């Protein structure tokens, strides 16, 4: 269980808090009913597109993650698992699952349209070979 979240350069950029995770989602398979996350977002999802489902939310009702089921691997999170991964290795599970889906797709030789959604206005970047979003 993660008890605290340290962020950039060991500083707390914002206090960590728990999220609830919907059963049957990819995130639930990785983290169970809840997880402790870091979050610095100043925007949040208000309306979810019909083909997506809310997979995690904070106690105040703010949507913290969305997923698109049965198709391509599409998971959008409002926190920064890449910043937590060094100290809390369970956060690597999201990236590992993504990689597994890509590998399975390559093995099947089927078309696999990888989609990475940055929920806020961010740029794509790469850290240790893994994609993530930055301000």
């Amino acid at each position: 269980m993660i008890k605290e979240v340290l962020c950039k350069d060991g500083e707390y950029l914002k206090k960590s808090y728990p999220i609830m995770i919907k059963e049957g989602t990819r995130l639930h398979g990785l983290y169970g009913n809840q997880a402790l996350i870091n979050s610095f977002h100043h925007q949040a999802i208000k309306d979810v597109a019909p083909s997506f489902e809310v997979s995690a939310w904070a106690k105040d009702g703010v949507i913290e993650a969305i997923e698109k089921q049965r198709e391509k691997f599409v998971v959008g999170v409002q926190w920064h698992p890449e910043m937590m991964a060094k100290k809390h290795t369970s956060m690597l599970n999201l990236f590992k699952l993504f990689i597994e889906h890509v590998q399975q797709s390559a093995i099947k030789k089927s078309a696999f349209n990888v989609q990475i959604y940055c929920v806020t206005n961010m740029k794509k970047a790469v850290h240790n070979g893994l994609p993530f979003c930055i301000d």
Side-chain angles (χ1 to χ4, degrees):
M1 174 100 179
I2 300 172
K3 294 182 181 176
E4 65 179 5
V5 177
L6 286 173
C7 300
K8 210 179 223 179
D9 301 323
E11 296 178 18
Y12 288 93
L13 298 179
K14 187 167 186 175
K15 188 174 173 84
S16 57
Y17 54 90
I19 56 168
M20 283 60 72
I21 303 172
K22 182 179 178 182
E23 191 171 338
T25 62
R26 289 183 175 109
L27 288 178
H28 188 269
L30 295 174
Y31 304 114
N33 292 327
Q34 65 178 335
L36 191 64
I37 63 164
N38 62 354
S39 192
F40 328 110
H41 59 84
H42 58 277
Q43 298 175 338
I45 297 171
K46 180 180 175 187
D47 300 312
V48 179
S51 60
F52 286 82
E53 69 175 313
V54 174
S55 56
W57 58 94
K59 288 182 181 180
D60 62 3
V62 171
I63 297 169
E64 295 290 345
I66 58 173
E67 298 183 22
K68 189 172 186 178
Q69 298 296 330
R70 295 183 308 271
E71 289 184 27
K72 305 160 188 146
F73 183 89
V74 181
V75 176
V77 299
Q78 282 278 68
W79 68 92
H80 292 272
E82 77 285 353
M83 290 181 166
M84 299 172 64
K86 186 174 183 180
K87 185 171 180 179
H88 305 289
T89 57
S90 66
M91 284 295 151
L92 288 173
N93 294 342
L94 181 58
F95 299 109
K96 289 176 183 177
L97 183 62
F98 171 72
I99 291 167
E100 285 175 24
H101 278 266
V102 171
Q103 289 173 335
Q104 289 171 7
S105 177
I107 290 170
K108 293 177 184 177
K109 296 184 181 179
S110 63
F112 191 75
N113 187 6
V114 176
Q115 299 177 24
I116 301 171
Y117 288 91
C118 296
V119 211
T120 59
N121 296 325
M122 298 179 154
K123 297 181 268 183
K124 291 180 186 174
V126 176
H127 176 68
N128 291 337
L130 299 173
F132 70 99
C133 301
I134 58 173
D135 285 326

